[in-house]
Every structure is written in C-alpha cells, then in structure tokens.
C-alpha cells in the first residue's frame, strides 16, 4: 500500500505541492548532532524541475533541484521550496516524514493490502497498532476496524465485493472520471459562484479523481482533529478528522445507525427521501427554518448532490450510500463515472467521502460490526461497541 521509500535504514514519505513535482530521498545522515536528508525534486511527468532554494527548520539551502536539509526524525518536517518554473518564482509548501525503519509499530510487519481486507492491524508509517481486544470485526466481509495509539483508527472497506467491479477489467473503469472533468469544472464553478467568503478555504481547482477512492480496498484513517498525520499517508488513505460534526448522509441504513448512536446532532444535511427517514428528531430538524439551531438541510441525492448547500453549510464528511457503486455489468463504466464524479466533488470541497456498505450486509452479525465503525467515526466507541453486542445478541 505504501508509497514510502527506504533509504539508509529510514522510511521517507512526503506530501504537498500541486502534483507537478515529485520528491525522492537520496541520503539520510547525521552532522554535528543534527539529522539531515538529501532530497531531489523532479517533474512528475519525468522532466526536469527548476527548484533553487529550500527552507527547512530555520535554514535556507541553495541548490539545483538537490538539497541537503535539516530534518526531524519520527515527526513531520515542513519545508518550503522555491521554483522558477512558473512565470514568477513561487515558494511551494511540502511536508516530509522520515522515521527509522525498525519495525517497532506494534504490527506483524505487513503493510495494508490494496486488494483484500486485512486480518490484523497493518503496518502504517508513523503509527503504532494497539491490541484489538475484541474491537476488530470478525463477521463482516466488507469492513475491518483496527485501533492505533493516540486515538487513531483504521477502517478498511471493500469497494468491489458483490458489485459489477468484482469480475470487471479495472482498466475500463479506473480512468472513468476523466470523461466528466469538463462537466465537473462547470458544475463546481456554478456551485461556488461568488460564495468564496461563505465557503471558507475550499479548494476549487478541478483535478483527476484520487486513486485512493478507486482501489478495491479503501482505507480510512480516522484521527483526532489536531493530530499531526505523518506526511505521505494522505496519498495512501482517506483522512477523516474527528469530530465529523457537519456530516452529509445519503445512506438510509447509515442514518439509522447514527440515530441509534444518538449522534444525529452531527448531521448538517441529508440526501435521503423523507419517506425513508424513520427518526422523528431528524424529520423535525428538516422542518426547522433556515438558520435555526439544529437545522438539517436537504442536499440532493446520493448521485446528485446539492453542492451549493454543502459548501455553504461547510459539510466536513459525506457518508455516501453504496448505491453509488456499480451493480450491473452492462452499466459498470457509466456507474463508476458517477462514483468518481462524487469523489471529485468531495475532494474539491476538502470533504472526506465514506462509502457505507452496511446496507449490503445480509447477516445480522455482519451488520452488527458497523455499529463499531460508526462509533469510531462519531466519537462514540463505547456505545458503538454496546450496540454491536446487542444487535449480534438478537441473532
């Protein structure tokens, strides 16, 4: 799963930039009690970069795409790199993560797989796994849940099983989102309009759909709001920060679980027909006046979001119905385009998208596992655990 490099007994990962450049690490060494790394910039398309300076830990280093800079070990190192490749020189922000490759992460040493659910907590750079102590799901074949130190959790969701992608040629669907790029751009532009002040710091650049969402197994890393995520993990998994207190829900099954957890106060909008909503408090919240405390807004459907509402209300998590996943072989490519379009919208709004597959579970014990999952997402682990046991006991 990892895009990390191993150099001189250290793991190297990075994040940031616009995607036009890649960073590699040539060497990690100590000098006068300070650790240094020699990094090199190159264009992502294989061309030559034009970086001339790097600022790191209070030092400015001059060079020609290659720089030996001071770095932290075992924690993030923010840097700024000056490029002259644009019409004017620009400082670009990046974050490096370098740690010893000593296997002291509490796992069995295996990295998370991209094509199957893990049976035990996988190795994640910069994180330490905790004993499962019963929290790990053992009934569902669609989801897994693993705890790590610092109140961090890994959720894995199988996005292929029992869908049209299970036996399909992925090459036919993996680039499906590109066909929607022009229409996505126009749609997002119309949604944003002159709403910059209301929308806050929302990214409006239209780019290609992130590959982390289109893998067979999608990893969601759930972290506290102020947790410093090791650089590079955002390229491998979806980062969800708790509390997800302005959630958009399009899955009726997920809404029922969130209601059972008594966390509907964390919902800002729904994409569910009123007839499919059982919770009286949610119905009452939908009928409140605009701006009234506790108001929940209607924001389209699972396949057609009301982007203006979601942007204005600053939704910070989308819980998407698994109906968005392709189900029929003859429409798999078209359906995958619809999914990637929703992913593109979510990424442009800096809003993680979690695909709920609880409705696809045929077994009561398997359904019970999802109470734990939502307990983690909505900071209600104890209640999630209790409801999981209660539901499984009814079988």
């Amino acid at each position: 799963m990892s895009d990390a490099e191993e150099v001189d007994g250290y793991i190297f990962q990075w994040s940031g930039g616009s995607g036009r450049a890649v960073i590699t690490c040539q060497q990690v060494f100590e000098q006068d009690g300070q650790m240094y790394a020699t990094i090199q910039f190159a264009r992502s398309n294989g061309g030559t970069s034009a970086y001339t300076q790097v600022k790191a830990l209070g030092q400015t280093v001059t060079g020609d795409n290659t720089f030996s800079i001071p770095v932290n070990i075992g924690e993030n190192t923010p840097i700024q790199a000056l490029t002259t490749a644009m019409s004017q020189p620009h400082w670009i922000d990046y974050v490096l993560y370098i740690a010893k490759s000593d296997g002291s992460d509490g796992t069995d040493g295996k990295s998370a797989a991209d094509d199957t659910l893990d049976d035990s907590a996988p190795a994640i750079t910069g994180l330490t796994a905790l004993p499962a102590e019963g929290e790990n799901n053992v009934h569902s074949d669609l989801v897994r849940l693993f705890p790590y130190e610092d109140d961090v959790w890994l959720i894995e969701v199988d996005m292929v099983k029992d869908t049209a992608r299970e036996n399909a040629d992925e090459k036919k669907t993996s680039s499906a989102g590109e066909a929607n790029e022009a229409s996505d751009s126009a749609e997002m532009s119309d949604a944003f309009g002159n709403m910059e002040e209301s929308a806050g710091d929302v990214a409006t650049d239209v780019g290609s759909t992130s590959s982390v969402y289109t893998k067979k197994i999608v990893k969601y890393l759930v972290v506290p709001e102020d947790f410093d995520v090791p650089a590079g993990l955002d390229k491998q998994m979806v980062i969800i920060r708790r509390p997800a207190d302005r959630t958009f829900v399009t899955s009726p099954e997920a809404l029922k679980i969130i209601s059972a957890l008594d966390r509907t106060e964390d919902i800002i909008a729904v994409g569910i027909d009123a007839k499919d909503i059982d919770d009286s408090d949610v119905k009452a919240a939908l009928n409140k006046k605009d701006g009234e405390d506790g108001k929940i807004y209607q924001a389209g459907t699972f396949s057609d979001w009301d982007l203006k509402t979601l942007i204005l209300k600053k939704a910070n998590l989308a819980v998407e119905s698994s109906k968005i996943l392709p189900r029929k072989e003859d429409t798999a490519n078209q359906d995958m385009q619809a999914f990637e379009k929703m992913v593109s919208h979510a990424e442009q709004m800096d809003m993680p998208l979690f695909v709920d597959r609880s409705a696809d579970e045929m077994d009561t014990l398997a359904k019970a596992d999802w109470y734990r999952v939502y307990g983690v997402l909505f900071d209600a682990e104890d209640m999630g655990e209790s409801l999981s046991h209660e539901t499984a006991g009814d079988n």
Side-chain angles (χ1 to χ4, degrees):
M1 178 188 74
S2 175
D3 293 328
E5 298 177 50
E6 185 164 353
V7 181
D8 298 329
Y10 291 86
I11 296 294
F12 172 79
Q13 298 182 167
W14 64 278
S15 293
S18 63
R20 296 184 179 90
V22 295
I23 306 174
T24 56
C25 183
Q26 311 298 313
Q27 184 183 16
V28 179
F29 61 96
E30 182 178 355
Q31 182 175 307
D32 299 329
Q34 172 67 54
M35 295 302 298
Y36 287 81
T38 301
I39 61 172
Q40 186 174 66
F41 291 85
R43 291 185 64 83
S44 57
N45 63 6
T48 302
S49 292
Y51 286 85
T52 58
Q53 290 185 22
V54 171
K55 294 179 181 179
L57 301 183
Q59 295 187 27
T60 300
V61 180
T62 300
D64 180 13
N65 293 315
T66 302
F67 310 86
S68 291
I69 59 172
V71 294
N72 299 317
I73 299 298
E75 60 184 83
N76 286 333
T77 303
I79 69 171
Q80 287 185 305
L82 182 66
T83 178
T84 58
M86 304 180 188
S87 57
Q88 295 182 346
H90 280 79
W91 288 98
I92 309 296
D93 292 326
Y94 295 94
V95 182
L96 313 181
Y97 184 85
I98 301 175
K100 285 189 174 181
S101 177
D102 57 7
S104 58
D105 50 17
T107 70
D108 58 10
K110 295 180 180 178
S111 296
D114 286 333
D115 55 356
T116 58
L117 294 172
D118 286 293
D119 293 323
S120 58
I124 301 177
T125 301
L127 302 182
T128 301
L130 294 175
E133 296 182 356
E135 291 95 341
N136 189 24
N137 303 290
V138 294
H139 304 295
S140 173
D141 56 3
L142 296 176
V143 69
R144 292 289 185 273
L145 179 65
F146 304 106
Y148 292 75
E149 287 186 355
D150 300 317
D151 198 22
V152 173
W153 294 80
L154 176 68
I155 302 172
E156 298 182 343
V157 179
D158 190 323
M159 303 284 281
V160 173
K161 185 175 176 58
D162 299 328
T163 74
R165 291 179 63 201
E166 190 165 26
N167 300 311
D169 181 359
E170 289 186 76
K171 293 181 180 179
K172 294 180 181 178
T173 58
S174 61
S175 61
E178 296 176 6
N180 284 323
E181 185 170 328
S183 60
D184 285 354
S185 179
E187 189 173 349
M188 289 302 295
S189 177
D190 178 65
F192 279 97
N194 296 317
M195 294 158 41
E196 287 85 354
E197 292 185 4
S198 298
D201 297 329
V202 183
T204 58
D205 291 337
V206 174
S208 60
T209 301
S210 173
S211 62
V212 297
Y213 282 102
T214 53
K215 293 179 179 179
K216 291 182 177 180
I217 307 297
V218 174
K219 280 81 175 173
Y220 298 91
L221 193 68
V222 185
V223 303
E225 185 175 18
D226 58 353
F227 183 76
D228 195 14
V229 177
L233 293 187
D234 57 328
K235 300 176 186 178
Q236 306 165 24
M237 55 192 73
V238 182
I239 309 300
I240 299 177
R241 292 190 179 274
R242 297 196 300 186
D245 54 0
R246 303 182 71 82
T247 299
F248 170 48
V249 182
T250 72
S251 165
E253 192 74 19
L255 180 59
K256 292 176 183 177
I257 296 176
I258 296 169
S259 296
L261 290 169
D262 196 24
R263 302 303 296 180
T264 56
E265 64 187 33
D266 291 331
I267 297 174
I268 191 64
V270 295
I272 304 171
D273 193 292
K275 65 180 177 59
D276 295 322
I277 297 177
D278 298 326
D279 191 301
S280 59
D281 290 337
V282 173
K283 288 185 175 181
L286 283 166
N287 290 324
K288 289 185 176 182
K289 294 180 180 180
D290 188 18
E292 190 176 349
D293 187 44
K295 167 70 175 174
I296 293 178
Y297 295 82
Q298 282 283 358
T301 68
F302 71 92
S303 60
D304 186 17
W305 296 354
D306 180 346
L307 298 175
K308 288 184 179 180
T309 296
L310 296 178
I311 294 166
L312 281 172
K313 302 309 171 186
K314 300 180 181 179
N316 57 16
L317 174 66
V319 177
E320 179 77 331
S321 170
S322 64
K323 290 180 181 178
I324 197 67
L325 300 178
R327 300 294 177 167
K328 298 180 180 179
E329 293 291 344
D330 58 346
T331 62
N333 193 55
Q334 180 180 348
D335 293 343
M336 197 61 187
Q337 287 183 25
F339 171 59
E340 292 191 3
K341 184 176 182 178
M342 297 303 103
V343 168
S344 179
H345 291 334
E347 290 187 323
Q348 290 167 72
M349 290 186 284
D350 196 23
M351 176 180 67
L353 184 155
F354 180 81
V355 178
D356 170 64
R357 299 210 62 188
S358 63
D360 298 329
E361 301 284 10
M362 297 294 104
D363 178 75
T364 301
L365 291 175
K367 283 181 178 290
D369 289 337
W370 287 86
Y371 285 95
R372 295 192 183 101
V373 171
Y374 282 99
V376 166
L377 285 173
F378 289 92
D379 205 11
E381 291 100 323
D382 290 344
M383 183 172 288
E385 184 73 19
S386 176
L387 286 172
S388 178
H389 285 300
E390 180 181 326
T391 302
D394 292 339
N395 186 35

